[in-house]
Amino acid sequence: MNWMSENNITNHANIKEITLNEMENVTKRELEAFVLHERLRLESKCGSNTPP
């Protein structure tokens, strides 16, 4: 939810205001961007499990 707000996928500053309709309308591209964002965040925090 915070990611949606930070990346202008929703115009609500408060994540409690994000509606189910907005969640249902997240595009595949937006979802893929979120997954990549989380992957990079976790790799930087925990290190990569991918062999060189």
Side-chain angles (χ1 to χ4, degrees):
M1 300 288 202
N2 288 328
W3 183 86
M4 287 179 68
S5 180
E6 292 165 3
N7 289 278
N8 299 317
I9 295 169
T10 180
N11 56 4
H12 298 291
N14 184 342
I15 62 171
K16 292 181 180 181
E17 296 174 355
I18 297 174
T19 66
L20 181 56
N21 189 44
E22 288 176 285
M23 294 294 296
E24 290 175 341
N25 289 313
V26 172
T27 67
K28 181 181 177 186
R29 175 176 255 162
E30 291 166 340
L31 188 55
E32 289 170 342
F34 172 72
V35 170
L36 177 60
H37 165 79
E38 285 299 294
R39 179 179 174 193
L40 295 174
R41 184 182 67 81
L42 289 173
E43 284 179 359
S44 70
K45 183 177 179 180
C46 303
S48 175
N49 289 334
T50 308

